[in-house]
Structures are given as structure tokens and as C-alpha cells.
Amino acid sequence: MNRVEATIFAASEPVGRETLARIVGKSCSIDLLIDDIREELRGRPYDLVAVAGGWKHLTRPAYADAIRTAVGGAEKATDLTQSEVLVLMCIAYFQPITRGELSSFFGKEISRDLIGHLRGAGLIASGPRSPQPGAPYTYVTTKGFLFEFGLATLRDLPDFDALEDAGLLSKEKLLAGDIPAGLSSGEGDSEGEDPSIDSETVEIDI
């Protein structure tokens, strides 16, 4: 238990099952060890959380305000427009997906600048080449995406149909192009224009 906890505590990234198995041996149950550690951490201001394909020590949400007060402007944050969040959502659910397929999905050209901003934030990366003519790059989400949204794996994404049933998402509206401005940087996808013209932003701490 102590070896597992020390390893996770010292690591800057989530520690995966294979790494922990090398420390304690394959005959040990990693899940039982994690459960025991979490039981010992009950009542502490931090917990051992399954995220991005591994485990990491994270402070509990109740202490977020205190931490923000302590670190102040030292936090690094990325502002995503509503349009970028929608594109990121589509990549997460339908990856690997090309920029052309994203454009077809929304009925509007998805700008290279928008894709570049998501890549710069470490939320998406290039996936395998598509078998389409010209072999365009596809895009996939990263471990950074899982970490920032508190997901252990992509299987933890909310069920798409459930989101529709709850009225939080409408595939019909998306396919009809009923989305905020800002997905396109204009006709011809001009490289120099800023696609983030949407005034509504979502802040994600990185």
C-alpha cells in the first residue's frame, strides 16, 4: 500500500495499472490496494482519483476556493469559446474524425485556428490518417482531455442519448447547423482570422 501511494503521490501524471503492477507484483490486486488507500484517506482534504487511465492524488472540490485564494494568479487557465467546446465534444464522441467531417457535421467550415487552439490547450492531438482520398489527418482527444474533465476513460463520457433525453444536447440541431457563430473564420477558411468570435467562454484550469 505504501509503495503504491508513494508512487502515485510523487508522479506528476496519473499512474496506470501496469506501472503499479511492476511495483507490487502482478499477483496483487491493484483495485483492492486502491480501495484500502482511499479508505485511509477518508476525511482528508484529498483523495485518490481514477482519471486519464490511471490514478492521481487530487484535492476534494470543497477546497477549490481555498486553493484558488492561495495560488491566485499562478493558475494557468485556457478559455474555450462555446464553439470550441462543441467541436471538442464532437471529437470526443466521434473520434477519430477529420476536420472535413467536423465541417460536414456542423454544416459550417471548421477553421484551422479553432483546431489549433484545442491542440495548443493539449485537449486534442492528431490521430491516424483517414482512408479518404488525400489521407487527411484525423483528430482524437488526449489524456489531458480526460484529466481536465475528470474522466478515467472515454467510456465515462455521458451517454449521448441520455444528454438528448435531458434536453442538454440535440443532434438534430447540430446537424441542422443550429450552433453559435465562431466555428468558421469566414469563407475560404482564412488562416489569419480569429475563429473565437463567440463572446461566451468556458474556463478550464490546466
Side-chain angles (χ1 to χ4, degrees):
M1 254 177 68
N2 288 339
R3 292 200 300 272
V4 167
E5 186 173 5
T7 299
I8 296 173
F9 181 83
S12 59
E13 301 290 337
V15 181
R17 185 180 299 273
E18 291 184 4
T19 300
L20 296 178
R22 290 200 299 269
I23 297 169
V24 298
K26 294 184 178 180
S27 60
C28 285
S29 171
I30 301 298
D31 293 319
L32 289 179
L33 287 173
I34 294 295
D35 287 344
D36 288 344
I37 294 171
R38 295 194 68 185
E39 183 61 31
E40 289 206 351
L41 294 178
R42 188 182 297 275
R44 303 296 296 170
Y46 52 88
D47 195 5
L48 202 55
V49 178
V51 64
W55 287 275
K56 186 172 177 60
H57 285 286
L58 294 176
T59 51
R60 299 184 190 275
Y63 300 96
D65 289 341
I67 294 170
R68 274 192 289 268
T69 300
V71 301
E75 290 184 345
K76 179 185 175 184
T78 293
D79 286 340
L80 297 182
T81 67
Q82 188 177 9
S83 298
E84 289 167 339
V85 170
L86 284 171
V87 171
L88 180 61
M89 175 203 68
C90 288
I91 294 173
Y93 278 102
F94 305 116
Q95 61 187 300
I97 187 170
T98 67
R99 190 167 67 94
E101 288 170 334
L102 286 168
S103 297
S104 297
F105 185 91
F106 286 107
K108 297 183 179 181
E109 186 75 12
I110 303 300
S111 75
R112 290 185 176 86
D113 286 345
L114 189 153
I115 294 294
H117 190 208
L118 294 178
R119 291 191 63 166
L123 300 173
I124 66 171
S126 295
R129 292 272 193 170
S130 171
Q132 300 172 12
Y137 281 108
T138 61
Y139 296 100
V140 297
T141 53
T142 62
K143 282 190 175 183
F145 165 82
L146 294 174
F147 183 76
E148 294 307 326
F149 287 90
L151 304 173
T153 70
L154 290 172
R155 290 190 295 272
D156 294 326
L157 282 168
D159 182 77
F160 198 96
D161 292 333
L163 291 177
E164 285 194 292
D165 293 341
L168 298 175
L169 185 67
S170 171
K171 185 185 296 185
E172 182 178 337
K173 286 185 178 180
L174 288 175
L175 289 172
D178 186 8
I179 53 178
L183 286 174
S184 172
S185 60
E187 288 188 23
D189 189 24
S190 300
E191 294 292 332
E193 295 184 53
D194 181 9
S196 304
I197 60 176
D198 194 324
S199 60
E200 187 171 348
T201 62
V202 178
E203 184 175 279
I204 296 177
D205 293 331
I206 298 180

